[in-house]
Amino acid sequence: MFKVVVVLVALLGVLVYYASLTEPVALAKACDGHTCRRVVVPLPSVGFDATEMAMPCSLLAKLGHTLVFATKDGKPSEGADPLTLTGMLGGLLAKPSAAALADYASVVSSDAYKNPVPFSALSAHDYDGVLLVGGHHPGMDEFLREELLRPFLADMLSAEDKRVAAVCHGVLHLSRAGLISDRTVTAVPRRLERIGVVVTEYVAGLPSASYQLSTTGNAWVQDEVEPVAGTFLDGSLPLAADVLVHPLVPPSWTDAALTRAFVVVDRNLVTARFWGDAPAFAHAFAASLLSIEE
């Protein structure tokens, strides 16, 4: 009965969502020649969120930017958290859109993905931007504690001609390095993580441990980020758009997906809450890269 109620409420949320759409965010433009940038994407050995990685990377590549992937040992990441590729309840909930899955297939088959550089080789001198993705898989635990990345991220964030983008748990890289004390940011809000646990454990019948990371213990990402950020914005949108729609209507390259997203831009830093914000987050990061002055 509980599952039926959840699904019915979610369907109602979809109707409210589409009835309240406004104008989508501005689309990023393709780069040309001197405006094309070099972006590095650090990844864990396994377990990142498929949509949060694939949609921004795919857009950047299509717009003409150069992607470089990085892992701790310089070996290709084994891939995304399987749950972020298949969804739950046989794909009924939280399954990526066809567009996101196509983006994922394209990115992981690329030469750049198959030939990453080691974290130890990263230097801010070599890159214009860095993309920090999130995920709830246990494989993210070590990645989010990785101290090798912190000097590099500090150099990137402190330079006016560099751009940093972080989504969901990816913001923890910056908060744990003490780099956002004067920044306005967002990350996955407490309420969204709580809904995720309910859906994962009570609706899909999976243990909530598969959703929460040991990196945050009994706390939520917001509990880590908010106290050390200059300002934390949780992206309070209508309930229908915030916690009900995305599991049933996953983000795609549509006006609707670009409308109810929440992205924060503070100088050279772009942050977003979760996979539902991925398309708008991707466009915001691409636009930020184009704003770099020669």
Side-chain angles (χ1 to χ4, degrees), residues 15-29:
L15 296 177
V16 175
Y17 170 75
Y18 280 106
S20 62
L21 293 179
T22 56
E23 290 299 312
V25 299
L27 303 183
K29 298 179 181 179

Side-chain angles (χ1 to χ4, degrees), residues 160-242:
E160 293 183 0
D161 61 344
K162 307 293 183 182
R163 298 294 182 265
V164 178
V167 57
C168 197
H169 285 73
V171 181
L172 289 173
H173 284 293
L174 305 176
S175 64
R176 290 174 176 178
L179 301 177
I180 56 173
S181 61
D182 63 341
R183 299 298 183 116
T184 297
V185 302
T186 190
V188 57
R190 189 182 302 111
R191 68 179 182 281
L192 284 182
E193 284 204 279
R194 285 173 173 163
I195 290 294
V197 169
V198 170
V199 171
T200 302
E201 185 169 353
Y202 294 101
V203 179
L206 300 172
S208 59
S210 68
Y211 187 88
Q212 290 179 287
L213 289 173
S214 60
T215 49
T216 56
N218 294 321
W220 310 100
V221 169
Q222 182 176 344
D223 294 333
E224 280 203 45
V225 175
E226 188 169 21
V228 298
T231 302
F232 181 86
L233 302 177
D234 66 2
S236 296
L237 297 173
L239 181 64
D242 235 2

